[in-house]
Amino acid sequence: MKSQRIAVAGGTGGIGQHVVDGLLEVKEKYSLHIIVLSRSASADLSFAGSSAPVIAVDYSDSTSIEKVLRENQIDTVLSTLSSHDPETFMTIQSNLLTAALNVPSVHRFSPSEYTHDSEALAESIPFLSTKVAIYEPLRKVKAERGSSFEFTSFQTGAFMNYFALGNPKPDGAKALGHLAPFPFVLDLKNRKADIPGDGQRRMVFTAAEDAGKFIAAVTQLDKWEERSIMKSDWLTFNEIVDMAKDLVGPIDVQYNTLEDITARIGGSPPSMANLYLFIYQAIIKGDYEQKRPFNVNDSVDVKPISMKEFLTKWWA
Ligand SMILES: NC(=O)c1ccc[n+]([C@@H]2O[C@H](COP(=O)([O-])OP(=O)(O)OC[C@H]3O[C@@H](n4cnc5c(N)ncnc54)[C@H](OP(=O)(O)O)[C@@H]3O)[C@@H](O)[C@H]2O)c1
């Protein structure tokens, strides 16, 4: 049950464009039909000599999405949607699922996960409960439809691209890929590290470019697991700081206890503005501990970049 006619919802966005790039790279090889859903039509997205049209849908109206999926005989819907407003995010992603389930050709759906494991993290990072909401309906549909419907959650870890933020090389801005800037732990431009805990927790990191390649390869698997777990590397922050020191020189390292982070969050309610501090808390508590195997790395032929290769590429 491989994927051939694929719609990427939110494919004009940060991670979405990496998913589209990964698919376009193998479009010819696997004879894929790829479309990008967006709130507004725009020029085709192109990569590696292939392109995909950007088709307008109204995410507030599932029949508008359904029409496009039906007209294109889509078999796989990949959500890379995001919104700063939690209610909006849940509504638009739920409407996308409703539309997908109404189209007989659709047999695969992937919600917008792109984190370690939202179900394991939601208690520490309240924002992530917006991602969790879709798993109950997905499991229900899977139970009803059996092998004619599959879903998977693409679990990536943190994007290592953020560790090249502020890179001064002439093409340094390219290190972020399509992602929006998100200051996180390392500020190598200013040789600073703001470490959650004692830096000994091991964490999964993925380059956004690798995530795109991994996800494209997963669309060509015969069977989808409920979780598709990928890594480019798996390291402690202390190991990463040691690698970075060899490249940029001494780094001013600040370690933070749970109490330090709680004080920094202050009394404000959870918001995207201090999302990174909630991530820090979850790291300190061990919620990012990797408990399941990297089943994507084990099943596809993609060679990811290591943290050392990534840091050397941008900071040597
Ligand atoms: N693990 C990590 O380090 C990490 C980092 C960043 C993001 N993520 C995750 O990756 C996923 C995608 O995030 P992203 O940063 O790539 O998303 P993004 O670029 O902010 O948004 C993705 C797309 O959603 C579409 N969209 C539809 N309705 C929207 C609305 N009402 N408001 C805003 N956008 C709307 C937009 O496409 P149109 O304008 O074309 O409609 C937008 O380009 C999310 O699940 C996010 O949590 C993970």
Side-chain angles (χ1 to χ4, degrees):
M1 186 170 12
K2 296 180 185 188
S3 309
Q4 259 193 313
R5 302 183 69 82
I6 304 170
V8 185
T12 61
I15 188 63
Q17 281 195 63
H18 284 288
V19 173
V20 173
D21 287 354
L23 289 167
L24 289 176
E25 207 171 350
V26 294
K27 182 180 172 182
E28 288 284 310
K29 184 175 174 189
Y30 298 118
S31 304
L32 303 180
H33 175 73
I34 302 161
I35 62 168
V36 174
L37 307 183
S38 170
R39 287 168 294 177
S40 49
S42 58
D44 291 2
L45 294 185
S46 301
F47 188 76
S50 290
S51 61
V54 179
I55 302 176
V57 293
D58 175 1
Y59 287 110
S60 68
D61 171 14
S62 67
T63 58
S64 137
I65 312 170
E66 191 181 320
K67 182 168 175 286
V68 174
L69 299 180
R70 207 178 277 276
E71 281 169 0
N72 286 276
Q73 295 170 50
I74 293 300
D75 57 54
T76 299
V77 176
L78 308 179
S79 169
T80 63
L81 291 171
S82 187
S83 167
H84 286 280
D85 178 59
E87 283 302 321
T88 303
F89 171 71
M90 288 195 285
T91 302
I92 62 179
Q93 185 159 258
S94 171
N95 289 347
L96 180 69
L97 177 60
T98 301
L101 294 176
N102 278 336
V103 177
S105 57
V106 174
H107 61 74
R108 284 178 159 177
F109 186 93
S110 169
S112 191
E113 176 79 3
Y114 305 103
T115 183
H116 160 67
D117 179 348
S118 59
E119 291 179 300
L121 295 173
E123 203 176 309
S124 299
I125 310 174
F127 156 74
L128 291 182
S129 59
T130 62
K131 296 191 182 202
V132 174
I134 201 152
Y135 289 106
E136 192 186 331
L138 280 170
R139 289 185 183 121
K140 189 162 172 276
V141 175
K142 172 80 190 130
E144 284 163 6
R145 298 194 181 183
S147 58
S148 66
F149 178 77
E150 295 182 318
F151 72 92
T152 198
S153 146
F154 290 115
Q155 297 187 356
T156 58
F159 290 122
M160 63 170 71
N161 305 62
Y162 298 132
F163 293 161
L165 198 59
N167 187 277
K169 290 191 175 186
D171 61 347
K174 287 189 182 159
L176 263 186
H178 302 297
L179 301 183
F182 181 66
F184 180 65
V185 181
L186 285 192
D187 173 4
L188 293 183
K189 185 179 172 214
N190 296 305
R191 293 198 273 151
K192 287 186 174 165
D194 181 34
I195 305 265
D198 60 6
Q200 297 288 32
R201 292 265 190 214
R202 221 166 164 215
M203 197 163 162
V204 177
F205 297 93
T206 310
E209 293 81 0
D210 288 343
K213 288 177 208 272
F214 276 133
I215 289 161
V218 170
T219 67
Q220 298 310 300
L221 295 179
D222 287 324
K223 188 173 177 338
W224 271 13
E225 305 293 333
E226 188 172 309
R227 293 178 174 81
S228 294
I229 305 173
M230 63 199 77
K231 70 165 163 75
S232 295
D233 216 332
W234 190 27
L235 296 160
T236 68
F237 285 112
N238 286 342
E239 287 170 330
I240 298 169
V241 167
D242 283 344
M243 283 176 195
K245 273 184 196 159
D246 290 342
L247 298 165
V248 301
I251 293 176
D252 176 14
V253 180
Q254 180 186 328
Y255 291 100
N256 297 276
T257 64
L258 197 55
E259 293 70 33
D260 295 334
I261 301 299
T262 306
R264 281 168 66 180
I265 290 174
S268 61
S271 83
M272 293 294 279
N274 50 23
L275 173 65
Y276 77 101
L277 292 174
F278 287 90
I279 296 174
Y280 281 20
Q281 286 189 322
I283 294 169
I284 297 170
K285 288 194 233 162
D287 296 347
Y288 274 90
E289 194 184 318
Q290 189 60 39
K291 294 183 177 146
R292 296 187 171 87
F294 296 103
N295 58 347
V296 171
N297 294 68
D298 294 344
S299 355
V300 303
D301 186 20
V302 170
K303 189 185 175 316
I305 191 167
S306 68
M307 182 67 78
K308 190 162 189 178
E309 286 168 331
F310 178 84
L311 292 178
T312 305
K313 177 174 174 185
W314 294 106
W315 294 105

